[in-house]
Amino acid sequence: MVSERHTKTPSELRQGSSDQACCTEGTCGTVAMLLQAPRLAHCHLYGSHRQQPDLSRVTRARRNPGCKSSLTTVIDPAQTLEEQVEASSQVEREFLAKSQLKPTGPAATDMGSTVQVPRNKVLTTSMIAHATNKDVNQVSEPHTLSLQRVAYQGVPGAYSESAARKASPNAEPLPCEQFEVAFQALSQWVADTAVLPIENSLGGSIHTVYDLLLRYRLHIIGEVSVEVNHCLMVLPGVKKSEVRRVMSHPQALAQVDNYLRNSLPGATKEAVDDTAGAAQTIAQQGWRDAAAVASRRAAELYGLEILEDGIQDMENNITRFIQLSRDPLVSTQPEAGLCKTSIVFAPKQLGPGQLFRALSVFALRDIDMSKIESRPMRDNPIVSSDTQAKKYNYLFYIDFVGTLADQKCQNALRHLQEIASFMRVLGSYPMDKEFQKPPEV
């Protein structure tokens, strides 16, 4: 959902701040796209405001591949279509004036670039090639067309990057500083999808991602699983006896705790934001007394030497990632056993048997529930009444096997709505088939 703190008013856009200016170094050949108001309103109505239609302001930004910043057009849904188009045109004229470019007519866009089409003319291949700084033959190459971006948390070499590449092999990975930045990138149209960890077979659920799923109205469209294989890595030439500190993500440090106590008893553990970030920092700073716990790909990217491979304390260390999109994945054919649906709900009343009643809607219909997770209801964490003592108030996240196209799943959710004060479907999506394969004998 678009947050107020990320929204710019028309007056702020007219001020011409540096972050709205197009890069003028070199031959840009493109300007940021103008947004079509009807399409924008539809996307946000469907993806972000279906249940809470706060349409006072809607923004959507697209990044110009040849520039360092982007142009944001503010659309007021209360305006008529003609007024919205005029507002967009005014923003474009100001933007072009700063960029020393002259508008020539309506815009035809592709991945944030604007092809200026003269009035009474038709769009040609040469126009597209000129606007995108490509040769005419390059325009027709498949890999140059509409390259998508997939956001993930961490730096290149992180396990999340491997998950992002696995979920979207043809997309460009977009590293993000924190989990919420990945949600913001997808919500603000900087990325097309996002891949984030939701649970680990040893460490359990990633609660921050669960909380962000409720805050941002995005949709789960898929899942992938990545096997975690931790390596101990140092700068080339450093021996294990020289290591005085070990850096990694807190969960990774916990997963190699026994190894570190036995192999490096005198080393201190330092927690950082992600595993690959530890490897990157050691390489950049040249620390010869530090080691990182990260993936083999991180060692290759940052030129580190692997002292030991597979140092995790337990086998079957697997992290499940979810793939998010602004629009839900709609299926018209029920595929029993091949799809999973994720929901979140809160019971209407607190008392004996309320959670049992809610979960029974699945058991009565022989629907396999694969996961349940509780999180505090932050808007109302404590409830009380005249006859009952204070109690904690929870939301419940549930994954069950089935698709919304299945009639019995529809009936179960209708039944749940009757006994829940709140319920939302987070997504109905294909299960990770690779993870579901039986082990080879």
Side-chain angles (χ1 to χ4, degrees):
M1 183 167 59
V2 177
S3 173
E4 285 294 325
R5 64 177 180 274
H6 305 302
T7 307
K8 289 185 181 293
T9 63
S11 61
E12 290 174 333
L13 287 173
R14 286 192 291 270
Q15 290 175 2
S17 58
S18 59
D19 63 341
Q20 296 293 329
C22 178
C23 171
T24 57
E25 299 177 1
T27 304
C28 176
T30 58
V31 295
M33 70 177 292
L34 274 179
L35 303 176
Q36 299 179 11
R39 179 180 178 183
L40 175 65
H42 168 75
C43 290
H44 280 273
L45 278 169
Y46 189 72
S48 298
H49 299 282
R50 182 171 54 177
Q51 296 187 7
Q52 297 180 355
D54 179 13
L55 297 178
S56 57
R57 284 182 305 178
V58 179
T59 66
R60 174 180 173 184
R62 283 281 188 160
R63 182 166 296 279
N64 184 345
C67 302
K68 296 179 181 178
S69 59
S70 59
L71 169 66
T72 302
T73 301
V74 178
I75 301 298
D76 184 358
Q79 295 176 324
T80 64
L81 177 59
E82 290 76 10
E83 292 172 335
Q84 292 176 3
V85 172
E86 176 59 29
S88 298
S89 300
Q90 177 63 27
V91 174
E92 184 198 24
R93 285 193 293 271
E94 295 173 2
F95 181 83
L96 294 173
K98 296 172 189 173
S99 306
Q100 299 180 348
L101 298 173
K102 295 181 180 180
T104 57
T109 63
D110 177 42
M111 286 301 293
S113 303
T114 298
V115 181
Q116 299 295 342
V117 184
R119 289 184 174 87
N120 301 322
K121 297 287 185 179
V122 295
L123 183 65
T124 64
T125 302
S126 60
M127 291 181 186
I128 298 175
H130 177 73
T132 55
N133 287 332
K134 293 184 176 71
D135 184 79
V136 174
N137 295 328
Q138 291 179 323
V139 175
S140 302
E141 296 178 4
H143 68 272
T144 65
L145 302 178
S146 302
L147 180 64
Q148 292 189 331
R149 290 178 175 177
V150 52
Y152 68 94
Q153 186 275 328
V155 300
Y159 292 106
S160 292
E161 186 203 21
S162 299
R165 291 182 180 276
K166 184 177 179 180
S168 301
N170 299 322
E172 175 189 357
L174 179 65
C176 300
E177 183 182 19
Q178 301 292 340
F179 289 136
E180 187 166 10
V181 177
F183 276 83
Q184 293 167 351
L186 181 55
S187 299
Q188 298 295 325
W189 297 81
V190 178
D192 298 278
T193 58
V195 173
L196 295 158
I198 194 70
E199 65 173 330
N200 177 265
S201 58
L202 301 180
S205 301
I206 290 84
H207 294 150
T208 303
V209 176
Y210 274 103
D211 294 339
L212 291 170
L213 281 173
L214 188 65
R215 182 177 175 184
Y216 291 83
R217 290 188 174 274
L218 301 175
H219 305 273
I220 305 175
I221 61 169
E223 65 173 9
V224 293
S225 298
V226 173
E227 186 174 359
V228 177
N229 183 47
H230 292 311
C231 303
L232 184 71
M233 58 194 68
V234 295
L235 289 173
V238 175
K239 298 179 180 179
K240 187 184 293 187
S241 59
E242 301 177 55
V243 175
R244 297 292 178 265
R245 49 186 175 144
V246 179
M247 304 170 60
S248 193
H249 187 274
Q251 200 168 85
L253 291 174
Q255 293 170 359
V256 298
D257 183 62
N258 290 336
Y259 169 83
L260 295 179
R261 282 187 295 175
N262 296 328
S263 300
L264 295 168
T268 59
K269 294 184 288 187
E270 296 183 12
V272 294
D273 287 338
D274 66 277
T275 55
Q280 183 187 57
T281 302
I282 291 175
Q284 290 176 347
Q285 300 297 327
W287 291 335
R288 300 188 66 83
D289 65 334
V293 175
S295 66
R296 177 174 290 275
R297 173 171 166 78
E300 296 171 354
L301 285 176
Y302 304 113
L304 299 185
E305 180 181 335
I306 296 177
L307 293 180
E308 202 163 345
D309 192 1
I311 64 174
Q312 56 269 16
D313 297 333
M314 301 180 66
E315 297 180 356
N316 294 324
N317 188 354
I318 298 174
T319 300
R320 182 169 73 96
F321 293 79
I322 53 174
Q323 186 178 14
L324 300 175
S325 174
R326 287 179 293 271
D327 297 318
L329 186 65
V330 179
S331 174
T332 57
Q333 297 295 329
E335 301 178 12
L338 298 178
C339 288
K340 183 185 294 185
T341 299
S342 298
I343 65 170
V344 56
F345 75 95
K348 275 186 180 179
Q349 301 174 353
L350 294 180
Q354 294 302 316
L355 181 58
F356 172 80
R357 289 182 59 199
L359 300 183
S360 66
V361 304
F362 302 103
L364 291 173
R365 296 170 176 84
D366 292 327
I367 297 175
D368 183 13
M369 192 175 68
S370 58
K371 181 176 174 60
I372 180 170
E373 182 74 27
S374 65
R375 293 295 296 152
M377 186 179 290
R378 296 194 173 186
D379 293 339
N380 187 24
I382 304 294
V383 293
S384 61
S385 64
D386 297 335
T387 58
Q388 293 181 341
K390 291 183 179 179
K391 293 184 177 180
Y392 291 100
N393 202 10
Y394 293 100
L395 289 166
F396 295 94
Y397 293 81
I398 285 179
D399 293 346
F400 63 86
V401 178
T403 174
L404 297 181
D406 191 342
Q407 187 64 45
K408 68 177 183 180
C409 292
Q410 294 179 17
N411 293 337
L413 294 181
R414 290 193 189 98
H415 192 174
L416 181 60
Q417 279 185 312
E418 297 175 0
I419 56 180
S421 60
F422 161 81
M423 192 200 79
R424 176 152 54 112
V425 176
L426 300 174
S428 188
Y429 49 93
M431 299 172 67
D432 185 2
K433 297 180 181 179
E434 182 178 335
F435 180 73
Q436 300 297 326
K437 289 180 180 179
E440 296 181 359
V441 179

